[in-house]
Amino acid sequence: MPHPSRFVTAWSMLQAQVAAGRLPGYAAALRHRGEVEVRTGGCLELGGRTPVRPDSLFRLASLSKPFAGVLALALVEDGLLGLDDPVDRWLPELTGLRVLVDRAGALDDTVPAERPVTVRHLLTSTPGFGGLWDGSPLDRAVHAAGLGPGPLPPELTPAEYLARLGELPLAAQPGASWLYHLSTDVLSVLLARVAGRPLHELLHDRVTGPLGMADTGFWAVDPARLGPAYLPTGTGFELLDPAAGRSSVPPVFEGLAAGLVASAPDVLTFLCALADGGSPLLRPGSVAAMRTGALTGAQRAEVADFLGPGRSWGLQVGVQVEPGEEPWERPGRWGWDGGTGTTGYADPDSGLVAVLLTARGASPEDTFLADFWRALHRCL
């Protein structure tokens, strides 16, 4: 007779969220001190016709960013990239960049960039471009150009994406400020150009193939296993992407800022490989660098509301460097969340690696992702 789950509190909490209509469904996977559990509940779509199964597919949104870090470090290990290489060697669209004198000011009030954007800047999300969310002229121009940020990849070709980005001024000097999201899509284009082949081939050869992650890619490997994605509204949900929508077919832009579709067991496999030292993806030293906070105290303070208490940013992954407000937010914990209602972290102290995938977009006032970690911590 199977023994009862240690994490029954977490599974009960998720089922309650489904029963209350706050989640259409979910897939969760965890490994605790060598033991793996996979749990599912609810349905892929609102209204409940297709039950979520362990191999159901979900849009990862920003939970795909650590994949970009791994691929970049793999090419660094191969000697194809250097962390301090200027990226305009491969991305000429980013040559001769200019920087706003005032981040909230006019787009034509600029000075030359003091230094080129490097691979390290892209990995640490400090190239000078990224999400602003402040209503400034640059913020409006970034969105008008279709550059994001958002929970789905851009609907531009990589060449068009870089051309439009290169026409805009930077919000900050390269290396000065942490700015979210756009750096990962630029990194995605860089990886494909350095490798000389499509990003989906590089992802397969360096990550999903070696780990046997047959469910992970830039579009659904089996569209029948992919449901719709929703965004919460004040009164319910609105449709972000239908089941047969953008995530079910090859995209125009293969981006790792928000471009992957995967199953919960696949994401757990990926995170566990990194938690166990990196093999067969990376050497231990590369994984250690990836999971080390790369921001200065001033940079962290500037974006503390976004990153969260005690958190820094490593190489495309969030890193807890000081105790946070919650008991599970302990130094050494690393991972990230996705705007489509996804989360995945590893906590070396407790020996826990866990993933939760849902189809409910996470808004700032939502607590269900934190509720998941809170319930898991209680079980420990």
Side-chain angles (χ1 to χ4, degrees), residues 21-22 46 230-238 360:
R22 289 190 287 269
L46 288 170
Y230 303 96
L231 294 176
T233 66
T235 56
F237 295 94
E238 65 181 15
R360 176 201 169 101

Side-chain angles (χ1 to χ4, degrees), residues 15 104 137-138 147 210 225 231 236 240 248 255 292 343 354:
Q15 285 297 142
L138 181 56
L147 303 177
R225 291 191 268 143
L231 294 176
L240 170 66
S248 67
T292 299
T343 184

Side-chain angles (χ1 to χ4, degrees), residues 9-307:
T9 300
W11 313 141
S12 297
M13 182 279 297
L14 291 171
Q15 285 297 142
Q17 293 275 350
V18 172
R22 289 190 287 269
L23 288 179
Y26 68 88
L30 63 80
R31 187 189 71 178
H32 180 246
R33 304 205 184 281
E35 292 195 15
V36 173
E37 286 192 47
V38 178
R39 293 293 175 113
T40 64
C43 293
L44 288 179
E45 64 285 291
L46 288 170
R49 293 186 301 276
T50 311
V52 176
R53 304 182 310 181
D55 66 349
S56 292
L57 303 176
F58 293 84
R59 299 157 187 82
L60 298 189
S62 289
L63 189 50
S64 59
K65 286 180 169 68
F67 289 80
V70 167
L71 287 180
L73 289 170
L75 295 187
V76 169
E77 289 185 354
D78 289 348
L80 298 177
L81 274 180
L83 290 178
D84 296 311
D85 287 347
V87 301
D88 58 7
R89 171 182 168 188
W90 300 277
L91 309 178
E93 298 93 338
L94 301 185
T95 302
L97 296 173
R98 299 187 65 82
V99 184
L100 287 177
V101 172
D102 176 0
R103 187 178 296 187
L107 296 181
D108 58 358
D109 186 12
T110 64
V111 296
E114 296 172 356
R115 61 193 66 86
V117 173
T118 66
V119 176
R120 189 185 305 274
H121 291 147
L122 294 182
L123 280 167
T124 59
S125 299
T126 60
F129 47 77
L132 298 174
W133 297 285
D134 59 3
S136 64
L138 181 56
D139 179 43
R140 296 196 300 271
V142 167
H143 283 281
L147 303 177
L152 297 173
E155 294 188 271
L156 301 168
T157 66
E160 181 63 21
Y161 182 94
L162 282 184
R164 294 188 186 189
L165 180 64
E167 292 171 353
L168 295 174
L170 303 182
Q173 289 287 347
S177 295
W178 187 86
L179 293 167
Y180 191 55
H181 196 85
L182 273 65
S183 56
T184 315
D185 275 335
V186 174
L187 182 60
S188 300
V189 182
L190 175 71
L191 294 171
R193 289 190 181 179
V194 171
R197 53 201 168 119
L199 193 56
H200 71 264
E201 292 184 7
L202 183 65
L203 179 71
H204 177 268
D205 290 349
R206 303 307 295 261
V207 177
T208 60
L211 292 178
M213 295 167 56
D215 291 336
T216 301
F218 288 102
W219 62 94
V221 295
D222 178 3
R225 291 191 268 143
L226 176 72
Y230 303 96
L231 294 176
T233 66
T235 56
F237 295 94
E238 65 181 15
L239 186 65
L240 170 66
D241 190 41
R246 289 173 54 190
S247 300
S248 67
V249 296
V252 175
F253 187 102
E254 294 184 347
L256 289 166
L260 291 184
V261 177
S263 65
D266 263 19
V267 180
L268 180 67
T269 295
F270 172 72
L271 295 179
C272 285
L274 298 180
D276 294 342
S279 180
L281 308 180
L282 295 173
R283 300 173 192 145
S286 296
V287 177
M290 185 177 178
R291 301 183 331 206
T292 299
L295 305 184
T296 65
Q299 288 170 331
R300 286 177 51 212
E302 188 180 14
V303 292
D305 288 345
F306 191 102
L307 284 177

